[in-house]
């Protein structure tokens, strides 16, 4: 079956702009988590959505937001971009959450902020 | 699509040798641990997991050891192959937001 799909794979934005990233989970998976990956901080948890509701949220400012649709597809949005937002954004899906099953990661969306 | 590589501990091994990758976890309350492998340009991939009621678990060519006394986790890869070259992360379930906490990662380089 198809894996986790993230779009776009690469994008370049300038400071102050906003960006929307998309994630299509594995069919049947209801949980979608988002992570930010940078060389300095590693993998950091942004938020988790389950059945269209945000179930957990990491320590990121309110500029980072997300949502999940009825088909479990998820989007995350970053507004008023800063240089430090340059990172690889990873989406992971699982049946019911990371603590009940394996997390499957997408290949990520590489965001560069100039 | 590279995601990490700067400032990472690196382990270099010869093809065919055994590799041991170590991880110190942070939360003594964590009771579930996972190892992930991330190849260049790809997302992390599940390798093996272990719960705190065990101190050892074996998979195919991989073994995870857990020492709760010193909060230490290790991943042993037998007969390391060039395809094992990647960054390896440990993760624990001790996040305050109900999330997994990932380690910074170790880069494994296998020399043919």
């Amino acid at each position: 079956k198809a894996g986790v799909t993230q779009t776009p794979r690469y994008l370049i934005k300038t400071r102050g702009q906003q960006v929307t990233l998309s994630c299509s989970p594995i069919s049947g998976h209801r949980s979608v988590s988002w992570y930010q990956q940078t060389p300095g901080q590693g993998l950091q948890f942004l938020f988790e959505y389950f059945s269209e509701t945000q179930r957990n949220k990491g320590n990121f400012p309110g500029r980072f937001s997300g949502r999940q649709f009825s088909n479990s597809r998820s989007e995350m949005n970053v507004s008023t971009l800063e240089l430090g937002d340059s990172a690889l954004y990873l989406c992971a899906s699982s049946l019911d959450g990371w603590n009940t099953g394996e997390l499957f990661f997408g290949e990520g969306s590489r965001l560069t902020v100039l | 699509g590279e995601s990490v590589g700067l400032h990472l501990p690196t382990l270099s091994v010869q093809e065919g040798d055994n590799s041991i990758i170590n991880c110190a976890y942070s939360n003594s309350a964590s009771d579930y641990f996972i190892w992930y492998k991330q190849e260049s340009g790809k997302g992390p991939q599940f390798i093996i997991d272990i719960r705190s009621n065990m101190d050892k678990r074996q998979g195919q060519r991989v073994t995870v050891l857990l020492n709760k006394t010193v909060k230490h986790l290790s991943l042993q890869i037998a007969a390391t192959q060039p395809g094992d070259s990647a960054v390896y992360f440990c993760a624990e379930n001790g996040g305050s937001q109900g999330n997994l906490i990932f380690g910074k990662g170790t880069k494994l380089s296998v020399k043919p």
Side-chain angles (χ1 to χ4, degrees), chain A residues 2-78:
Chain A
V4 178
T5 304
Q6 291 188 247
T7 57
R9 289 293 313 278
Y10 303 93
L11 67 167
I12 300 173
K13 294 285 187 178
T14 56
R15 280 178 297 175
Q17 288 187 310
Q18 67 94 27
V19 67
T20 299
L21 308 177
S22 179
C23 172
S24 293
I26 292 172
S27 177
H29 285 192
R30 297 185 294 170
S31 168
V32 174
S33 301
W34 289 90
Y35 290 83
Q36 181 196 64
Q37 188 173 35
T38 60
Q41 298 299 316
L43 271 159
Q44 293 194 293
F45 173 71
L46 282 156
F47 26 66
E48 183 209 6
Y49 286 87
F50 181 82
S51 294
E52 301 179 66
T53 301
Q54 187 180 86
R55 186 157 68 173
N56 292 297
K57 186 178 186 303
N59 291 324
F60 278 81
R63 299 186 297 108
F64 292 82
S65 63
R67 59 178 175 168
Q68 186 180 32
F69 303 95
S70 57
N71 61 357
S72 292
R73 190 177 72 83
S74 178
E75 290 181 345
M76 67 162 284
N77 184 278
V78 188

Side-chain angles (χ1 to χ4, degrees), chain B residues 41-52:
Chain B
K42 296 186 178 181
Q45 179 184 11
F46 174 93
I47 301 173
I48 191 168
D49 60 0
I50 189 169
R51 296 201 176 269
S52 60

Side-chain angles (χ1 to χ4, degrees), chain A residues 10 37 56-57 98 106 110, chain B residues 1-3 38 43 46 97-98:
Chain A
Y10 303 93
Q37 188 173 35
N56 292 297
K57 186 178 186 303
W98 58 261
R110 165 70 64 186
Chain B
E2 77 286 353
S3 55
Q38 187 172 24
F46 174 93
Q97 291 88 26

